[in-house]
Amino acid sequence: RMLYEALELGYNLPAFWRLCRAYRAFSPDVIYERYNLNLLAGLALAKLTRTPLLLEVNAPLAQERAEHSGGLHLHPLAWRIENALWRSADRVLPVSHALGALLLEAGVDPAHMAVIPNAIDPAAFDHIDPEAAKRALGLSGKLVLGFAGFMRGWHGLDAAIEALARPDVPRTLHLLLLGDGPARRAMEARAADLGIADRVSFTGIVSRAELARHVAAFDIALQPKAVAYASPLKLFDYMAAGKAIVAPDQANIRELVSHEKAALLFDPQHKSAMLDAILRLARDAGLRRRLGAAARRQIDERGFTWRENARRVAALGIELMDRQGRG
């Protein structure tokens, strides 16, 4: 780990050289960067050229790497670099208010922070026939519980597989899993052990161009677990497709969808709560339609689109340029 982290720090030298070449070629008015651990090159260029820096933050990566990705050997150094980056950017753009609270604790000036959640291009999900999507996947006549994303052990997808084996679960309920990941093999084995392999479909990695057609086959869209600060991209996919969503009841999720209005939110501390929500939707087609339609309206009403995000970022950039007399 020490060698890997040292190489990450060393990468700042070639990264800074490449950024300088791009800066000379493009002469940008502002620099927009997605924060990455141990990466100082963007900040160095911004300071050297006196160009405003807008820093998108998707996660507290020092904490995330230490807890979920094998640990950090140089954790104190990574933490200091992370905090310095957050405090030094002209504008910091966390993807959730829950994440913004962590940035404030790290000393970021509230006046320099603007929350911009993730988003979607909703046009990609329009005019897709759900029944045709099911037929294409061999799922006609099934009630499809779907998940899209990277499959990790902590996601809780194993609970959905275990649930299918229960006698009170409708036999028509079929689990469709889009994506891949380290947890997939164990889930395939568990489905076989439970005798329900024919009720679980693993598609593997689905291209972005094909994702909307696959999500269209869902009747119920599942977000089994989420870290407390994320702005989950899969939720925006589900909302754009107008699907009935089941997700954990936590602050960052409530920033996007409300319980009983645009989703069913379950208590993540209650073992059977997720299944209870799934079964409720499985038995109530009217509720599925109502929640799905409300979720789709959220995209337009709250501006959860990449075009709207670009407009917000451009407005922040223009404001910073005006303050520095660069407009």
Side-chain angles (χ1 to χ4, degrees), residues 86-158:
W86 292 350
R87 293 194 300 266
S88 299
D90 295 280
R91 288 291 182 274
V92 183
L93 313 178
V95 294
S96 71
H97 290 279
L99 179 55
L102 296 179
L103 301 184
L104 294 176
E105 290 178 9
V108 173
D109 185 342
H112 292 173
M113 189 172 75
V115 175
I116 300 181
N118 282 319
I120 194 69
D121 175 11
F125 292 81
D126 291 340
H127 312 302
I128 301 177
D129 179 10
E131 292 305 317
K134 285 186 180 183
R135 284 195 300 274
L137 294 169
L139 297 176
S140 294
K142 303 294 185 182
L143 183 67
V144 178
L145 171 64
F147 169 89
F150 193 64
M151 300 174 194
R152 299 183 185 273
W154 60 267
H155 277 166
L157 287 169
D158 53 336

Side-chain angles (χ1 to χ4, degrees), residues 304-323:
F304 289 150
T305 68
W306 292 124
R307 182 176 293 277
E308 179 61 18
N309 278 12
R311 187 198 64 76
R312 294 168 184 162
V313 169
L316 290 169
I318 291 168
E319 175 191 339
L320 289 170
M321 290 165 54
D322 288 344
R323 289 188 179 188

Side-chain angles (χ1 to χ4, degrees), residues 174-242:
H174 190 97
L175 180 59
L176 175 60
L177 298 168
L178 313 181
D180 212 330
R184 175 177 172 176
R185 183 171 296 179
M187 290 191 296
E188 288 176 320
R190 185 56 178 156
D193 290 344
L194 292 170
I196 58 167
D198 61 329
R199 296 173 60 196
V200 183
S201 298
F202 295 85
T203 67
I205 295 173
V206 174
S207 71
R208 190 70 200 173
E210 287 293 309
L211 180 64
R213 185 175 62 82
H214 283 70
V215 172
F218 294 2
D219 294 291
I220 303 168
L222 184 61
Q223 169 82 58
K225 289 188 180 179
V227 293
Y229 44 77
S231 179
L233 284 168
K234 63 175 62 64
L235 273 187
F236 296 96
D237 292 329
Y238 300 163
M239 293 164 71

